[in-house]
Amino acid sequence: MNKIDPNKLPRHIAIIMDGNGRWAKSHTFGRITGHKQGAKAVRVVVTACRKIGIDVLTLYAFSMENWFRPKEEVLSLMNLLKEYLEKEEDEMMEQGIRLTAVGKLDSLDKKVLEQLHNTMKKTSKNTKMVLNLALSYGGREEIAMAARHILMDGLSGKIKPGDINEQTVEQYLYTKDLPDPDLLIRTGGEWRISNFLLYQMAYTEFYFTKTLWPDFGEEELLEAITQFQRRERRFGRISEQLR
Ligand code: IPE
Ligand code: IPE
Ligand code: MG
């Protein structure tokens, strides 16, 4: 904890929580057990981020493409999500965490959606940290959705083509109220972004690790933040311009 500089914290950390299935396989468990273990890691990392003082934590919990997994796995993931929200609501209240969600939420099962809305409503006044879940989320879907809504507002005369700039586009994304991620962590040893926050990660710093998600904890989170703090974010400039 004292390795990290409190004045140089990433404001927004995004995590691709990958490797539950392989974790289960390596322990000769079924995939669902891997997801259950993954939910425990979520608890640990959320609490750690809150303690460190991170403003926003976005967790990629279910992608658009994950709908194509075997039916039983999708169903279990949805049940686990609902269970997680039910169980963690009190803890979120205690820790001052506000829950938000991004993605094509209306594709979620009615019961899950209901629970999600309840938890979001209940935690809406909390101010210590935003826990943002990416659910039924796809970066390309998000951009297509934004384009659709921009066109609709254009047709109704609310905006003109000449007014559309980067800030306008941002206002139409699911993440409109959130800062861009400063740090992306992907566990599970894959070096790809799997359709996650494509627009928002233009200048995000990446940390990839082979650690499987259920094995990821506070120690490696601190390591990722330490590495982030050692990097120079130039945003196209040269070093000398940054001082
Ligand atoms: C990530 O773990 C969890 C979700 C995508 C919901 P995986 O289930 O992808 O685990 P691996 O990649 O098969 O190990
Ligand atoms: C990315 O993991 C999605 C989530 C962590 C929710 P996947 O395991 O689905 O990614 P790919 O398909 O292997 O790239
Ligand atoms: Mg995976």
Side-chain angles (χ1 to χ4, degrees):
M1 190 74 180
N2 42 28
K3 269 203 309 189
I4 60 172
D5 177 352
N7 299 313
K8 260 181 87 177
L9 286 176
R11 196 174 157 208
H12 181 177
I13 298 180
I15 307 184
I16 302 178
M17 311 181 289
D18 196 18
N20 293 350
R22 279 160 287 161
W23 181 91
K25 199 167 184 186
S26 74
H27 289 78
T28 65
F29 298 140
R31 295 185 56 86
I32 311 306
T33 310
H35 294 312
K36 284 190 182 148
Q37 202 65 25
K40 291 187 190 165
V42 170
R43 204 161 296 144
V44 170
V45 169
V46 168
T47 306
C49 283
R50 166 70 182 83
K51 193 173 78 186
I52 294 163
I54 303 303
D55 286 344
V56 184
L57 172 66
T58 295
L59 299 178
Y60 202 5
F62 195 85
S63 74
M64 218 51 191
E65 289 74 22
N66 289 150
W67 288 113
F68 298 111
R69 290 195 179 192
K71 253 219 305 277
E72 317 78 69
E73 181 165 345
V74 171
L75 200 67
S76 305
L77 281 167
M78 289 300 138
N79 286 335
L80 267 175
L81 172 63
K82 187 166 164 287
E83 244 174 60
Y84 177 84
L85 294 171
E86 278 164 1
K87 275 204 211 146
E88 294 304 304
E89 218 175 67
D90 290 345
E91 191 62 34
M92 286 183 216
M93 291 311 290
E94 225 161 88
Q95 295 190 33
I97 295 172
R98 175 159 69 93
L99 184 80
T100 60
V102 292
K104 198 172 178 302
L105 302 181
D106 55 15
S107 331
L108 296 170
D109 178 272
K110 220 177 112 218
K111 288 222 172 80
V112 176
L113 195 58
E114 213 175 80
Q115 176 65 49
L116 184 66
H117 280 303
N118 287 343
T119 312
M120 289 198 293
K121 195 166 168 220
K122 190 163 175 200
T123 61
S124 63
K125 301 254 155 44
N126 292 344
T127 57
K128 298 294 186 202
M129 183 175 92
V130 172
L131 171 60
N132 179 42
L133 298 182
L135 296 169
S136 188
Y137 177 87
R140 288 181 170 178
E141 189 278 327
E142 177 179 40
I143 292 168
M145 175 280 298
R148 213 159 45 235
H149 288 144
I150 291 171
L151 179 59
M152 274 169 4
D153 282 350
L155 291 173
S156 70
K158 248 176 93 183
I159 44 170
K160 295 192 209 59
D163 297 338
I164 299 169
N165 54 28
E166 291 175 24
Q167 283 72 38
T168 324
V169 174
E170 281 161 22
Q171 283 315 301
Y172 284 85
L173 297 174
Y174 293 130
T175 51
K176 65 171 167 10
D177 301 317
L178 301 173
D180 287 340
D182 300 295
L183 170 64
L184 168 78
I185 297 172
R186 181 175 188 142
T187 62
E190 310 293 356
W191 292 47
R192 53 178 177 254
I193 58 173
S194 304
N195 205 9
F196 192 37
L197 302 175
L198 298 181
Y199 186 94
Q200 297 86 341
M201 296 210 291
Y203 260 107
T204 299
E205 297 293 331
F206 288 5
Y207 175 91
F208 290 103
T209 173
K210 285 185 178 159
T211 305
L212 302 172
W213 176 249
D215 293 327
F216 190 85
E218 182 167 340
E219 202 177 318
E220 193 164 4
L221 174 69
L222 291 173
E223 171 58 26
I225 295 174
T226 308
Q227 281 200 24
F228 167 84
Q229 295 189 329
R230 282 204 291 261
R231 297 189 194 171
E232 182 176 67
R233 302 182 79 189
R234 288 189 289 278
F235 300 100
R237 279 85 172 159
I238 63 167
S239 266
E240 287 69 19
Q241 291 178 292
L242 303 172
R243 298 200 192 110

